[in-house]
mmCIF file of all heavy atoms in Angstrom:
data_model
loop_
_atom_site.group_PDB
_atom_site.id
_atom_site.type_symbol
_atom_site.label_atom_id
_atom_site.label_comp_id
_atom_site.label_asym_id
_atom_site.label_seq_id
_atom_site.Cartn_x
_atom_site.Cartn_y
_atom_site.Cartn_z
ATOM 1 N N GLY A 86 -75.312 185.965 258.253
ATOM 2 C CA GLY A 86 -75.494 184.787 259.032
ATOM 3 C C GLY A 86 -74.550 184.615 260.267
ATOM 4 O O GLY A 86 -74.805 183.851 261.168
ATOM 5 N N LYS A 87 -73.481 185.450 260.297
ATOM 6 C CA LYS A 87 -72.457 185.215 261.359
ATOM 7 C C LYS A 87 -72.994 185.430 262.764
ATOM 8 O O LYS A 87 -72.517 184.878 263.754
ATOM 9 C CB LYS A 87 -71.236 186.001 261.116
ATOM 10 C CG LYS A 87 -71.367 187.494 261.075
ATOM 11 C CD LYS A 87 -70.074 188.251 260.818
ATOM 12 C CE LYS A 87 -70.248 189.755 260.915
ATOM 13 N NZ LYS A 87 -68.958 190.416 260.600
ATOM 14 N N SER A 88 -73.945 186.344 262.914
ATOM 15 C CA SER A 88 -74.412 186.694 264.246
ATOM 16 C C SER A 88 -75.187 185.451 264.896
ATOM 17 O O SER A 88 -75.380 185.422 266.070
ATOM 18 C CB SER A 88 -75.406 187.886 264.136
ATOM 19 O OG SER A 88 -76.487 187.547 263.316
ATOM 20 N N SER A 89 -75.586 184.506 264.081
ATOM 21 C CA SER A 89 -76.290 183.294 264.590
ATOM 22 C C SER A 89 -75.325 182.452 265.464
ATOM 23 O O SER A 89 -75.804 181.564 266.145
ATOM 24 C CB SER A 89 -76.852 182.544 263.462
ATOM 25 O OG SER A 89 -77.751 183.223 262.627
ATOM 26 N N PHE A 90 -74.042 182.672 265.324
ATOM 27 C CA PHE A 90 -73.130 181.837 265.974
ATOM 28 C C PHE A 90 -72.325 182.570 267.015
ATOM 29 O O PHE A 90 -71.210 182.133 267.453
ATOM 30 C CB PHE A 90 -72.158 181.215 264.924
ATOM 31 C CG PHE A 90 -72.864 180.455 263.807
ATOM 32 C CD1 PHE A 90 -73.000 181.083 262.595
ATOM 33 C CD2 PHE A 90 -73.476 179.305 264.084
ATOM 34 C CE1 PHE A 90 -73.718 180.407 261.563
ATOM 35 C CE2 PHE A 90 -74.228 178.601 263.048
ATOM 36 C CZ PHE A 90 -74.306 179.243 261.788
ATOM 37 N N ALA A 91 -72.908 183.666 267.524
ATOM 38 C CA ALA A 91 -72.224 184.375 268.633
ATOM 39 C C ALA A 91 -72.524 183.646 269.974
ATOM 40 O O ALA A 91 -73.694 183.596 270.344
ATOM 41 C CB ALA A 91 -72.782 185.785 268.682
ATOM 42 N N GLY A 92 -71.587 183.034 270.511
ATOM 43 C CA GLY A 92 -71.739 182.357 271.710
ATOM 44 C C GLY A 92 -71.152 183.083 272.850
ATOM 45 O O GLY A 92 -70.315 184.016 272.669
ATOM 46 N N PRO A 93 -71.556 182.752 274.111
ATOM 47 C CA PRO A 93 -70.967 183.477 275.302
ATOM 48 C C PRO A 93 -69.462 183.202 275.379
ATOM 49 O O PRO A 93 -68.963 182.128 275.146
ATOM 50 C CB PRO A 93 -71.735 182.840 276.445
ATOM 51 C CG PRO A 93 -72.173 181.544 275.950
ATOM 52 C CD PRO A 93 -72.412 181.711 274.481
ATOM 53 N N GLU A 94 -68.738 184.249 275.817
ATOM 54 C CA GLU A 94 -67.344 184.038 276.077
ATOM 55 C C GLU A 94 -67.136 183.315 277.389
ATOM 56 O O GLU A 94 -67.888 183.375 278.286
ATOM 57 C CB GLU A 94 -66.615 185.413 276.127
ATOM 58 C CG GLU A 94 -66.720 186.176 274.796
ATOM 59 C CD GLU A 94 -65.976 187.462 274.895
ATOM 60 O OE1 GLU A 94 -65.489 187.874 276.009
ATOM 61 O OE2 GLU A 94 -65.857 188.204 273.860
ATOM 62 N N ILE A 95 -65.967 182.557 277.435
ATOM 63 C CA ILE A 95 -65.761 181.769 278.669
ATOM 64 C C ILE A 95 -65.123 182.643 279.761
ATOM 65 O O ILE A 95 -65.183 182.255 280.909
ATOM 66 C CB ILE A 95 -64.891 180.529 278.370
ATOM 67 C CG1 ILE A 95 -63.502 181.007 277.895
ATOM 68 C CG2 ILE A 95 -65.498 179.605 277.399
ATOM 69 C CD1 ILE A 95 -62.526 179.820 277.712
ATOM 70 N N LYS A 96 -64.603 183.785 279.379
ATOM 71 C CA LYS A 96 -64.086 184.676 280.352
ATOM 72 C C LYS A 96 -65.178 185.081 281.368
ATOM 73 O O LYS A 96 -66.313 185.511 280.953
ATOM 74 C CB LYS A 96 -63.496 185.921 279.703
ATOM 75 C CG LYS A 96 -62.797 186.876 280.714
ATOM 76 C CD LYS A 96 -62.155 188.030 279.988
ATOM 77 C CE LYS A 96 -61.471 188.985 280.979
ATOM 78 N NZ LYS A 96 -60.834 190.202 280.327
ATOM 79 N N GLY A 97 -64.811 184.962 282.621
ATOM 80 C CA GLY A 97 -65.823 185.318 283.629
ATOM 81 C C GLY A 97 -66.734 184.218 284.123
ATOM 82 O O GLY A 97 -67.422 184.317 285.086
ATOM 83 N N LYS A 98 -66.677 183.118 283.369
ATOM 84 C CA LYS A 98 -67.452 181.953 283.746
ATOM 85 C C LYS A 98 -66.651 181.136 284.800
ATOM 86 O O LYS A 98 -65.504 181.257 285.015
ATOM 87 C CB LYS A 98 -67.721 180.989 282.579
ATOM 88 C CG LYS A 98 -68.526 181.740 281.447
ATOM 89 C CD LYS A 98 -69.891 182.078 281.931
ATOM 90 C CE LYS A 98 -70.758 182.635 280.858
ATOM 91 N NZ LYS A 98 -70.315 183.825 280.257
ATOM 92 N N THR A 99 -67.433 180.229 285.453
ATOM 93 C CA THR A 99 -66.780 179.394 286.572
ATOM 94 C C THR A 99 -66.775 177.933 286.082
ATOM 95 O O THR A 99 -67.771 177.411 285.667
ATOM 96 C CB THR A 99 -67.616 179.501 287.907
ATOM 97 O OG1 THR A 99 -67.533 180.867 288.263
ATOM 98 C CG2 THR A 99 -66.971 178.560 288.946
ATOM 99 N N MET A 100 -65.587 177.392 286.130
ATOM 100 C CA MET A 100 -65.432 175.934 285.790
ATOM 101 C C MET A 100 -65.253 175.157 287.083
ATOM 102 O O MET A 100 -64.503 175.437 287.895
ATOM 103 C CB MET A 100 -64.165 175.719 284.904
ATOM 104 C CG MET A 100 -63.882 174.264 284.557
ATOM 105 S SD MET A 100 -62.388 174.084 283.598
ATOM 106 C CE MET A 100 -62.958 174.631 281.990
ATOM 107 N N GLY A 101 -66.113 174.048 287.184
ATOM 108 C CA GLY A 101 -65.949 173.127 288.212
ATOM 109 C C GLY A 101 -64.965 172.070 287.893
ATOM 110 O O GLY A 101 -65.150 171.432 286.914
ATOM 111 N N VAL A 102 -63.930 171.833 288.708
ATOM 112 C CA VAL A 102 -62.997 170.866 288.439
ATOM 113 C C VAL A 102 -63.131 169.744 289.433
ATOM 114 O O VAL A 102 -62.983 169.908 290.684
ATOM 115 C CB VAL A 102 -61.520 171.422 288.546
ATOM 116 C CG1 VAL A 102 -60.429 170.336 288.252
ATOM 117 C CG2 VAL A 102 -61.306 172.643 287.612
ATOM 118 N N VAL A 103 -63.399 168.523 288.992
ATOM 119 C CA VAL A 103 -63.650 167.399 289.850
ATOM 120 C C VAL A 103 -62.392 166.509 289.846
ATOM 121 O O VAL A 103 -62.030 165.865 288.904
ATOM 122 C CB VAL A 103 -64.852 166.514 289.404
ATOM 123 C CG1 VAL A 103 -65.041 165.331 290.278
ATOM 124 C CG2 VAL A 103 -66.085 167.425 289.298
ATOM 125 N N GLY A 104 -61.626 166.543 290.953
ATOM 126 C CA GLY A 104 -60.445 165.817 291.088
ATOM 127 C C GLY A 104 -59.161 166.749 290.779
ATOM 128 O O GLY A 104 -59.033 167.137 289.689
ATOM 129 N N MET A 105 -58.487 167.052 291.781
ATOM 130 C CA MET A 105 -57.345 167.976 291.647
ATOM 131 C C MET A 105 -56.002 167.222 291.539
ATOM 132 O O MET A 105 -55.101 167.438 292.376
ATOM 133 C CB MET A 105 -57.304 169.055 292.779
ATOM 134 C CG MET A 105 -56.457 170.256 292.490
ATOM 135 S SD MET A 105 -56.805 171.074 290.906
ATOM 136 C CE MET A 105 -58.389 171.909 291.411
ATOM 137 N N GLY A 106 -55.941 166.308 290.575
ATOM 138 C CA GLY A 106 -54.713 165.625 290.343
ATOM 139 C C GLY A 106 -53.829 166.418 289.420
ATOM 140 O O GLY A 106 -53.998 167.614 289.245
ATOM 141 N N ALA A 107 -52.938 165.710 288.691
ATOM 142 C CA ALA A 107 -51.992 166.413 287.785
ATOM 143 C C ALA A 107 -52.814 167.076 286.662
ATOM 144 O O ALA A 107 -52.517 168.264 286.300
ATOM 145 C CB ALA A 107 -51.069 165.354 287.135
ATOM 146 N N ILE A 108 -53.890 166.382 286.166
ATOM 147 C CA ILE A 108 -54.652 167.037 285.051
ATOM 148 C C ILE A 108 -55.546 168.161 285.619
ATOM 149 O O ILE A 108 -55.553 169.284 285.060
ATOM 150 C CB ILE A 108 -55.537 165.937 284.463
ATOM 151 C CG1 ILE A 108 -54.694 164.913 283.760
ATOM 152 C CG2 ILE A 108 -56.511 166.560 283.390
ATOM 153 C CD1 ILE A 108 -55.514 163.650 283.204
ATOM 154 N N GLY A 109 -56.179 167.841 286.785
ATOM 155 C CA GLY A 109 -57.055 168.929 287.346
ATOM 156 C C GLY A 109 -56.323 170.193 287.666
ATOM 157 O O GLY A 109 -56.847 171.315 287.405
ATOM 158 N N LYS A 110 -55.063 170.126 288.151
ATOM 159 C CA LYS A 110 -54.344 171.323 288.480
ATOM 160 C C LYS A 110 -54.000 172.112 287.179
ATOM 161 O O LYS A 110 -54.130 173.382 287.160
ATOM 162 C CB LYS A 110 -53.017 170.924 289.142
ATOM 163 C CG LYS A 110 -53.189 170.400 290.575
ATOM 164 C CD LYS A 110 -51.913 169.911 291.168
ATOM 165 C CE LYS A 110 -52.146 169.306 292.561
ATOM 166 N NZ LYS A 110 -50.853 168.788 293.103
ATOM 167 N N LEU A 111 -53.636 171.369 286.130
ATOM 168 C CA LEU A 111 -53.329 172.156 284.891
ATOM 169 C C LEU A 111 -54.592 172.755 284.243
ATOM 170 O O LEU A 111 -54.528 173.844 283.708
ATOM 171 C CB LEU A 111 -52.667 171.157 283.866
ATOM 172 C CG LEU A 111 -51.271 170.711 284.158
ATOM 173 C CD1 LEU A 111 -50.775 169.778 283.085
ATOM 174 C CD2 LEU A 111 -50.318 171.936 284.354
ATOM 175 N N VAL A 112 -55.678 172.044 284.318
ATOM 176 C CA VAL A 112 -56.911 172.595 283.810
ATOM 177 C C VAL A 112 -57.360 173.874 284.595
ATOM 178 O O VAL A 112 -57.749 174.868 284.029
ATOM 179 C CB VAL A 112 -58.069 171.535 283.916
ATOM 180 C CG1 VAL A 112 -59.453 172.156 283.639
ATOM 181 C CG2 VAL A 112 -57.825 170.392 282.954
#
């Protein structure tokens, strides 16, 4: 059953950051 939970890796994906304050910069 473990193959049913293979999700895409986040490496290589693009994250949109809305607001580049103290939190946004760290994210």
Side-chain angles (χ1 to χ4, degrees):
K87 64 182 182 182
S88 60
S89 300
F90 307 102
E94 296 182 356
I95 63 174
K96 184 178 181 180
K98 300 295 187 295
T99 299
M100 176 181 288
V102 180
V103 180
M105 196 55 74
I108 296 172
K110 290 176 183 176
L111 290 180
V112 169

